[in-house]
Amino acid sequence: MSSLWNVSTDKFINEKESIMRNGNVYQIANGYMGYRGTLDEFGPDELVGITLAGIFDRVGDAWREPINAPNGGFTKVTLDGIEISALTTTVKNHKQSLNLENAVFERETDYESQGKILKIKSSRFLSADKPNLGVVKFSVSCDKAAKVSISTGIDYNIWDLNGQHLLKLSPEKNNEILLVHGVTNELSKKVAVAEAAEINFGKEAHLIKDNRNLRVIDLDAEAGKIYTFYKYFTVFTDNDPIKVSVADAAIMSVTEAKIVGYETCLKNHNAQWAKKWAYCDVIIDGDDEAQQALRYSIFQLLIVAPVNGSGNSIPARALSGQVYKGAIFWDTEMFMFPFFLYTYPEKAVELMRYRVKTLDGARRKAQTEGVGYSGAYYAWESQETGDDACTYFNIGDPNTGRDLRTHFRDKQVHISGDIAIAMWEYFKLTGDDSLLLEGGAEVILECARFYFSYAYFKKDKNRYEILDVIGPDEYHERVNNNAFSSMVAKATFEIANATVNYLKQNHPTEFNTLVKKINIADELPMFIEAADLLYVPLPDKKTGVIEQFDAYFKLKDATIAELKSKMIHPNEYLGAGQGLAVPTKVIKQADVVMMLNLFKDRYSTEIKKANWEYYEPLTEHGSSLSACAYAMVAAEFGNIDFAYNYFMKTAKIDIEAKYHVYVGTIFMGGSHPAANGGAWMTAVFGFGGVRATAEHVIINPRLYKKWNKLQFNMIYKRDRFNIKISQNDVEINADSSNKKNHTFLVSGQAIDCIPGKHDIIKLG
Amino acid sequence: MSSLWNVSTDKFINEKESIMRNGNVYQIANGYMGYRGTLDEFGPDELVGITLAGIFDRVGDAWREPINAPNGGFTKVTLDGIEISALTTTVKNHKQSLNLENAVFERETDYESQGKILKIKSSRFLSADKPNLGVVKFSVSCDKAAKVSISTGIDYNIWDLNGQHLLKLSPEKNNEILLVHGVTNELSKKVAVAEAAEINFGKEAHLIKDNRNLRVIDLDAEAGKIYTFYKYFTVFTDNDPIKVSVADAAIMSVTEAKIVGYETCLKNHNAQWAKKWAYCDVIIDGDDEAQQALRYSIFQLLIVAPVNGSGNSIPARALSGQVYKGAIFWDTEMFMFPFFLYTYPEKAVELMRYRVKTLDGARRKAQTEGVGYSGAYYAWESQETGDDACTYFNIGDPNTGRDLRTHFRDKQVHISGDIAIAMWEYFKLTGDDSLLLEGGAEVILECARFYFSYAYFKKDKNRYEILDVIGPDEYHERVNNNAFSSMVAKATFEIANATVNYLKQNHPTEFNTLVKKINIADELPMFIEAADLLYVPLPDKKTGVIEQFDAYFKLKDATIAELKSKMIHPNEYLGAGQGLAVPTKVIKQADVVMMLNLFKDRYSTEIKKANWEYYEPLTEHGSSLSACAYAMVAAEFGNIDFAYNYFMKTAKIDIEAKYHVYVGTIFMGGSHPAANGGAWMTAVFGFGGVRATAEHVIINPRLYKKWNKLQFNMIYKRDRFNIKISQNDVEINADSSNKKNHTFLVSGQAIDCIPGKHDIIKLG
């Protein structure tokens, strides 16, 4: 780790585990595709992966997952006839780094072979300007004269977790362009990768061998001379809005890149990155470790934000591979979306459009799950159609080798409400109702409709209850009246009612059209009743603790250490029907505390403190989503040291790559964009104390003691602000391009932020 | 197997497994206690057990279970100083038998030792006249002159499944009476066993050794001479209604028995047995195998029927040991009770009184289970107080050695309704309302109250639903709208309403007192609504098949053989959270078919046939309760061959002792009184086609082809009938002592059965 804008290492550890983790840490991406942080000469065994957003495939009964493209960035070198690779050659020096400023990956390796030192230096980026484009700069030099042979082109040996997704892979050479194209197994979607190179030395030949489509450059290298070349690759699939074939599109596009040239490609790429950071950077003054971890977290979110207009979202392991089926979970709305909503709304709306696009899938799930429900029951693991990729046996049991029946798919009903809440937040904080009109309102009403069809009424208690669910704490399946899920359902009814009121008043024609389209008029009054009578567990009158679900308090007391001591296999899953945590109070992740954070305006600080203190020792943090909720709530009730610990836990997860990579028998290594979003939320919402409502922006700072300053930008109702929080004051700069005045409540003081105005508010 | 009134074997197989199974087959009992069919010289390793009804104990956290008394029937012999035992001595001949006519166990063994043949012959019975008494006749002879030593007395080495239940076991000799007394571990209940002997040969000494309190008779036996003695033992506990100490009671009682003498004891015992058979025998003419199996089944029920006035019931493994915690399950009401109700109502009412006695336990369970309910939620495994002995981890997993979370205790809600139904049946078929007034009505109303507090209302479907239950098919836990459970709940509401109407009209004062006592006035109207609006899954319009529970039809198709082929351990349990059957349609036992049998008047024959044919191939019959339901329904829709196969399966279970003795890691060997009751039901209800209602007795015979005649007795509204069914006619003899005329509907013909009259009805 070298600087606040850079992640680097000067070691190469020739072990699978290290290569896998570095593949995650050093990955680059541009929303269209991810490229794992592997070396140029690596292949599928080293988990080279160019994972594409929004295109999925299934082989037989195996898990459906995103496809990995052939690797257009491949290059390997031979020295005097001996193949050079970090896996087999003596590495004298090695350095690899990731530039956070512009997402450029660089490696530099000195190899020793046959008494000669061969230096390889390369850098690559996936264009933030042209989403289909990747660019590589590659240099080689030898300290002594030598015969050097460079093989570069497209490697179509592909790392796949669950079966070979690309079939009929055909290598071609078309003029100077290398091409590999194939089709997906399930839906016969076409995929093409083209490569062009700018090489001004040696003698080039074409070679197709070992599933590689290569140009081979033989070179009598002079001692000490650096030979540099550039290569460009483009990836196109049937998902792209193109009018020509994917092969032609790839060829045309890569040709264009080569004509434009390396420097211009990089310049255009950098310009996009400058904009991203201008919107989204957060500065922590006084704590470089926190600064770097947070910036890396933000970087992770920026590289995977969906391409505008793509209708894609961000999978739980982003574009770091095929883990978790490349599926979109609640992670996106609850953990990543706020970052985009506050800093980069054009990406936030894209995430929401993905949910509009997949509404029919959610309807299908509602109709077919269990006894069949109405409305929209969003997929727990959502792919391009919104049908659920989650299986009923989603975790393998290492003790028996059997797949465990899990209820993630059929019982984690809070997903629909999570989406409705995000949809409404978008409207509230942007003031932009176009999303509502373009399907957002329909999503909201269908989510409420789903909950009504799912809810039961308890006559002797005069209340609706949400039964038989899994809350965020997945170690306890099929519970009744889970505080989080029930509150989410209640909020969904409230939001549905607010949507109805808003549309009636502001868009009566569209409202009537919608009500007719989905035939929901008769149900709307029920949503009002349900919002009123839906039961959410209340804080205990004495202790303030909210019971996570019915009879949770009756579960066995146990410590996490006790459970771990009983494990037969180290990767054993603690949940599902018979996991060790199931009969105990030990929970996987923040659940009541997550609810208190999400609905922070409904509970007092005392209640938050009481619940945090009750649940914190019981939480195993078996999910990377957990730490940020504990961090934010701790910040809110004033335990800043605890908040900081949990903040660092969430912020460092990907930069340090210290996570479990197996749950049960399932490989789940990769990046953690939800935790990255959690890091941003903890910084801005937690320590910054920021909370925007429909009426104003609240700032109640509670900086960590080491921090001199916390500085960030935000967008509120389409106007831009730069906020600097110190231990003593809050500085608000309203952008001069802003259209309106906005009220900020800074530690209770109302500030009227006028466009172009600069306010400094002293803190008590 | 030798005759229709006798079970015997002429082999002794010196293997644990055989000794265990014979211990079940040859057991005797008298409602107060059971005595396993073990040899006189056996001890705890051979599973000698004198299991007492209605007295329980718990050691530490282990399962609570009934206690086994010290063995007052113990005798062992030495020949010329060498101990003689079937386990160590050469057995030349061995025969053991059980006389079904009077429950006398007999053994006769020729041993060869040191060139001599020693013959031992003994017989024993537990008095059907004096419930605390056991009597043994023991003879010994040797073909050559020999020194024979007989040690007889009380062996207080006790076989216990879960810890030592009797502590401070003290041997005493009081005049000529041997005594062992002790106290239970948990509640310090006193237990005493006294023994007296009538021995007219040899020289007697007293010896306390190896936890045995013995009289040792040394004898110079003459060649060929038979030496016979008699012994008596009595067992008393603090549960007995006595005014003296248990030790004094045992001594006085055994002294009295000795004075009365063997022949008189046996005569009084036989007189009781004559009465039992006069009430309860069923004759099958033309099928000796069926006859013997059925008679043995009836015998099993008769030996364990509770002692009048004891307030005890019959455990699932009767008095054959401590298996299943000596607990009373739904087995009693649903499978055994009908036999007693139709033939021996003084025992039927005793079974019901047990439920009245344990009503407070059921109330405690309702209040403490889950979120807490109202009314009476009867224990799944009920002991003397009605608190639930069932644990939340009731089965061990042989694959992992862990206890499995099972929901038998918390979700098998049909138990309360099973009891309410039996309670009402008793009233309907006897016309005796004293049970209702003595607590039966309170039980019924509290059961309805429980269901109301458990039920949810589904507003969009305008119906109540019973959610989150286990039906009879225990392989599918926590299901919604289980046909059986929901119909039982609905029937409970109907019965509660009928009870209210009956009491209002006939016992208004008692009714008002009851309503006030349990403060239920406000809830009664809800029971009427619930009886009307409670949802029970309907037959599919096309196929007629009733879905066992919500979304059962969506489960995987699988065969039982497929599941078995996947088993890792042969005793693996197929249910609980992750069992192999859980995701499939394979069911443990009759569930919908059980419902169709219990509520036979609500469904057409076509529906019964459709469901039988659908579910039969899916049923593993992992419970001994399953076969009889399939037998009865098959008889009803006319598949008599299938009915016969299932009849033989249920009737032969205990006489053949071919059953699994492990579920998971739990030993569950013992007798199967529910299957025994199922055998009687299949004979009389199934083949006999008998069904009594409040108005009349229906007889629609469908005899098995081999059967010339099926003859049985029944009591209806306190009047007695003998019924003979042949292939051509039905003969009804109304006892001359009957008080009233009763209508019988024989194959649709109404017969007015006048006291003392004899009717023969030709069958079409």
Side-chain angles (χ1 to χ4, degrees), chain A residues 368 370 402 456 465 554 572, chain B residues 368 370 402 456 465 554 572:
Chain A
T368 54
R402 289 180 184 161
Y456 279 89
E465 298 187 16
K554 288 184 177 174
E572 194 178 320
Chain B
T368 54
R402 289 179 183 161
Y456 279 90
E465 297 187 17
K554 289 184 177 175
E572 195 177 321

Side-chain angles (χ1 to χ4, degrees), chain A residues 239-406:
Chain A
N239 280 7
D240 284 295
I242 46 176
K243 288 178 183 158
V244 297
S245 73
V246 294
D248 287 350
I251 291 168
M252 289 191 296
S253 176
V254 84
T255 305
E256 186 190 311
K258 184 177 166 184
I259 293 166
V260 166
Y262 178 80
E263 290 305 329
T264 306
C265 285
L266 181 60
K267 198 184 74 187
N268 294 341
H269 170 76
N270 286 345
Q272 289 297 327
W273 272 98
K275 185 182 104 177
K276 290 181 206 291
W277 284 116
Y279 286 178
C280 304
D281 193 26
V282 177
I283 295 166
I284 297 172
D285 183 28
D287 186 349
D288 285 354
E289 192 186 356
Q291 172 71 78
Q292 199 200 30
L294 175 59
R295 187 167 283 140
Y296 184 81
S297 298
I298 295 170
F299 172 81
Q300 288 294 324
L301 291 166
L302 291 175
I303 60 176
V304 296
V307 172
N308 290 3
S310 65
N312 285 334
S313 184
I314 307 174
R317 287 287 179 269
L319 299 173
S320 64
Q322 294 161 319
V323 164
Y324 283 163
K325 305 160 195 155
I328 290 89
F329 292 65
W330 73 310
D331 302 41
T332 311
E333 279 73 19
M334 290 286 107
F335 297 87
M336 308 175 209
F337 175 79
F339 163 76
F340 292 107
L341 177 60
Y342 277 74
T343 65
Y344 207 169
E346 70 192 70
K347 299 297 180 188
V349 78
E350 204 62 42
L351 298 175
M352 289 298 99
R353 283 195 185 119
Y354 167 74
R355 296 302 192 175
V356 173
K357 178 179 91 172
T358 52
L359 174 58
D360 274 346
R363 286 190 175 114
R364 281 191 293 275
K365 177 172 171 184
Q367 281 156 25
T368 54
E369 205 60 64
V371 289
Y373 305 100
S374 311
Y377 184 2
Y378 274 90
W380 185 244
E381 300 185 0
S382 186
Q383 296 176 335
E384 79 278 35
T385 61
D387 292 287
D388 209 326
C390 188
T391 65
Y392 294 119
F393 297 82
N394 221 38
I395 290 180
D397 178 6
N399 293 336
T400 60
R402 289 180 184 161
D403 288 338
L404 294 170
R405 175 67 163 105
T406 52

Side-chain angles (χ1 to χ4, degrees), chain A residues 694-710:
Chain A
E695 296 77 35
H696 44 240
V697 178
I698 298 164
I699 305 183
N700 289 316
R702 41 236 170 182
L703 287 200
Y704 183 58
K705 57 198 171 199
K706 270 176 74 177
W707 295 9
N708 302 319
K709 196 181 66 185
L710 175 71

Side-chain angles (χ1 to χ4, degrees), chain B residues 11-291:
Chain B
K11 256 184 280 190
F12 174 75
I13 301 169
N14 194 355
E15 283 169 6
K16 279 232 149 196
E17 175 91 8
S18 168
I19 290 169
M20 179 272 290
R21 291 186 194 268
N22 275 340
N24 296 327
V25 174
Y26 292 93
Q27 68 174 311
I28 54 176
N30 68 352
Y32 183 87
M33 56 188 158
Y35 193 152
R36 293 174 55 78
T38 48
L39 304 188
D40 309 79
E41 65 268 31
F42 284 175
D45 287 349
E46 292 74 45
L47 314 191
V48 169
I50 295 183
T51 303
L52 305 185
I55 180 164
F56 297 86
D57 185 68
R58 183 174 194 174
V59 178
D61 283 342
W63 281 4
R64 204 165 181 274
E65 61 194 9
I67 62 166
N68 284 338
N71 175 14
F74 178 80
T75 301
K76 75 182 170 87
V77 175
T78 62
L79 177 68
D80 295 329
I82 305 286
E83 199 164 296
I84 300 301
S85 158
L87 302 171
T88 52
T89 313
T90 305
V91 173
K92 296 295 288 180
N93 293 298
H94 176 80
K95 194 187 164 194
Q96 70 185 56
S97 66
L98 181 60
N99 186 344
L100 302 182
E101 211 170 341
N102 63 351
V104 172
F105 169 77
E106 208 168 294
R107 64 81 66 101
E108 195 174 334
T109 312
D110 296 343
Y111 292 109
E112 181 170 5
S113 179
Q114 306 157 84
K116 296 177 182 174
I117 302 291
L118 183 84
K119 182 187 283 290
I120 283 175
K121 186 173 174 181
S122 78
S123 68
R124 67 176 172 234
F125 61 91
L126 297 174
S127 172
D129 184 51
K130 299 271 183 197
N132 304 74
L133 175 67
V135 180
V136 181
K137 178 179 179 182
F138 193 100
S139 303
V140 60
S141 61
C142 189
D143 66 337
K144 299 186 179 124
K147 285 211 176 290
V148 169
S149 172
I150 300 165
S151 299
T152 189
I154 304 169
D155 181 6
Y156 52 100
N157 294 290
I158 297 175
W159 170 49
D160 275 323
L161 285 179
N162 290 288
Q164 192 188 340
H165 296 297
L166 285 181
L167 306 179
K168 302 181 194 162
L169 280 163
S170 311
E172 287 178 22
K173 192 173 178 214
N174 190 316
N175 295 321
E176 289 309 303
I177 309 296
L178 300 180
L179 182 74
V180 172
H181 55 87
V183 296
T184 62
N185 169 74
E186 183 188 28
L187 301 170
S188 298
K189 291 217 171 192
K190 294 192 199 72
V191 176
V193 176
E195 190 249 26
E198 227 180 302
I199 307 179
N200 300 314
F201 53 81
K203 197 181 129 220
E204 183 173 334
H206 180 226
L207 176 72
I208 295 173
K209 197 182 163 193
D210 299 337
N211 294 324
R212 290 176 184 141
N213 188 7
L214 299 172
R215 49 187 99 238
V216 180
I217 297 101
D218 286 321
L219 164 70
D220 288 311
E222 296 169 30
K225 181 165 175 190
I226 299 170
Y227 298 88
T228 298
F229 69 94
Y230 302 94
K231 58 186 271 164
Y232 309 87
F233 63 89
T234 53
V235 183
F236 277 83
T237 79
D238 274 349
N239 280 7
D240 285 295
I242 46 175
K243 287 176 181 159
V244 296
S245 73
V246 292
D248 287 351
I251 290 168
M252 289 192 296
S253 175
V254 84
T255 304
E256 186 190 310
K258 184 177 166 184
I259 293 167
V260 166
Y262 178 78
E263 291 304 331
T264 305
C265 284
L266 181 60
K267 198 184 75 186
N268 295 342
H269 171 75
N270 286 345
Q272 289 296 326
W273 271 98
K275 186 182 104 175
K276 289 180 207 291
W277 284 116
Y279 286 179
C280 304
D281 193 26
V282 177
I283 294 166
I284 298 173
D285 183 28
D287 186 348
D288 285 355
E289 193 186 356
Q291 171 71 77

Side-chain angles (χ1 to χ4, degrees), chain A residues 367-372 374 393 397 399-406 411 452-461 464-465 467-468 477-481 526 529 533 550-551 554 556 566-569 572 575-580 582-583, chain B residues 367-372 374 393 397 399-406 411 452-461 464-465 467-468 477-481 526 529 533 550-551 554 556 566-569 572 575-580 582-583:
Chain A
Q367 281 156 25
T368 54
E369 205 60 64
V371 289
S374 311
F393 297 82
D397 178 6
N399 293 336
T400 60
R402 289 180 184 161
D403 288 338
L404 294 170
R405 175 67 163 105
T406 52
K411 300 295 178 190
F452 193 79
S453 79
Y454 198 84
Y456 279 89
F457 194 73
K458 195 84 191 79
K459 279 214 176 183
D460 47 350
K461 295 172 177 164
Y464 289 89
E465 298 187 16
L467 304 175
D468 202 3
E477 302 200 342
R478 304 198 58 198
V479 302
N480 294 338
N481 296 308
M526 304 312 291
E529 182 181 275
L533 295 184
D550 282 356
K554 288 184 177 174
K556 281 191 222 164
K566 289 183 188 160
M567 283 167 73
I568 297 172
H569 189 286
E572 194 178 320
Q578 299 289 347
L580 288 169
V582 175
Chain B
Q367 282 156 26
T368 54
E369 206 59 65
V371 289
S374 311
F393 297 83
D397 179 6
N399 292 336
T400 60
R402 289 179 183 161
D403 287 336
L404 295 170
R405 175 67 162 104
T406 51
K411 299 296 178 189
F452 194 80
S453 78
Y454 197 85
Y456 279 90
F457 194 73
K458 195 83 191 82
K459 281 214 178 185
D460 47 350
K461 295 172 178 166
Y464 288 91
E465 297 187 17
L467 304 175
D468 202 2
E477 302 199 340
R478 303 197 59 197
V479 302
N480 295 339
N481 296 309
M526 305 312 292
E529 182 181 278
L533 296 183
D550 282 356
K554 289 184 177 175
K556 283 191 221 163
K566 290 183 187 161
M567 284 168 73
I568 298 172
H569 189 287
E572 195 177 321
Q578 299 290 347
L580 289 170
V582 176

Side-chain angles (χ1 to χ4, degrees), chain A residues 125 127 129-136 177 194-198 230-236 249-266 268:
Chain A
F125 62 90
S127 173
D129 184 51
K130 300 270 182 199
N132 305 73
L133 176 66
V135 181
V136 181
I177 309 296
E195 190 248 26
E198 228 180 302
Y230 302 93
K231 57 186 269 162
Y232 310 86
F233 63 89
T234 53
V235 184
F236 277 82
I251 291 168
M252 289 191 296
S253 176
V254 84
T255 305
E256 186 190 311
K258 184 177 166 184
I259 293 166
V260 166
Y262 178 80
E263 290 305 329
T264 306
C265 285
L266 181 60
N268 294 341

